[in-house]
Amino acid sequence: MLVAALAALVLAACQSVPSDRGIDVIYVPTPESTVSAMLELGEVRAGDVVYDLGSGDGRIPIEAARRFGARGLGVELSAERVREARANARAAGVGHLVEFRRQDLFATDLSEATVVTLYLLPDLNLRLRPKLLALKPGTRIVSHAWDMGDWRPEATREMADGSEIYLWRVPERPTP
């Protein structure tokens, strides 16, 4: 119910974004309670490298650095959001642990990530899936609101607002 209404709102808003901007998803800030739950579900800890794809104002990598001492990389197409994220990281005192790049997430090298967080749209999650499955086995993927089609999550958590967050781990590859 609430999730369907949220989906309709996000999809309608995305259709109003001018295509010449190259942005696939409008900026909808992740609630702080959801940020905390995503980091907990993803078992983020010191030593992790958290990549947030579509990082907006940087709240997920910043919180991972602030709470756990994890390093982070935020990937975002909006120059305004990248500037805001960098300022937020400096203000939080974690500018030395996080980096924000204005970059296409499909062109981003994700190989250093131990945790990848997403708040994208279903079609983008599905397009990203092959790239995510190519990451190191054990890499945790946490998505807010949208799943990965027939790739079943290891865990799901319902939030107070009715949205869900999902956790997957990149599986071991069979040995030839």
Side-chain angles (χ1 to χ4, degrees):
M1 300 156 285
L2 182 58
V3 173
L6 174 64
L9 175 67
V10 170
L11 290 171
C14 286
Q15 292 169 350
S16 68
V17 176
S19 61
D20 63 345
R21 286 182 44 197
I23 295 176
D24 295 308
V25 178
I26 64 163
Y27 173 57
V28 178
T30 303
E32 293 298 332
S33 60
T34 302
V35 170
S36 291
M38 290 175 75
L39 297 175
E40 290 165 13
L41 192 63
E43 301 172 356
V44 174
R45 57 194 175 274
D48 274 324
V49 181
V50 178
Y51 277 44
D52 186 26
L53 306 181
S55 59
D57 66 2
R59 61 185 61 199
I60 292 174
I62 290 169
E63 187 64 8
R66 193 186 69 70
R67 276 182 57 192
F68 304 105
R71 290 185 302 122
L73 173 69
V75 178
E76 173 62 50
L77 282 176
S78 166
E80 178 183 353
R81 293 283 87 78
V82 170
R83 283 190 298 276
E84 181 181 9
R86 289 174 179 161
N88 290 342
R90 284 191 300 275
V94 296
H96 63 292
L97 290 173
V98 295
E99 176 186 353
F100 296 94
R101 294 182 190 160
R102 183 170 184 237
Q103 187 171 5
D104 180 338
L105 57 92
F106 290 100
T108 301
D109 176 3
L110 306 178
S111 62
E112 294 296 315
T114 58
V115 178
V116 176
T117 60
L118 316 164
Y119 185 17
L120 302 172
L121 292 173
D123 63 313
L124 293 175
N125 280 8
L126 291 176
R127 283 179 44 210
L128 266 174
R129 195 169 119 174
K131 189 170 178 133
L132 297 172
L133 284 165
L135 294 173
K136 294 179 291 262
T139 301
R140 283 108 53 210
I141 316 294
V142 183
S143 176
H144 174 207
W146 312 111
D147 65 16
M148 296 273 184
D150 63 356
W151 184 14
R152 296 291 165 228
E154 176 180 310
T156 303
R157 182 177 300 171
E158 186 171 342
M159 301 305 299
D161 65 3
S163 68
E164 291 185 301
I165 55 175
Y166 304 90
L167 168 70
W168 299 266
R169 286 181 207 273
V170 175
E172 294 288 332
R173 290 171 192 72
T175 51

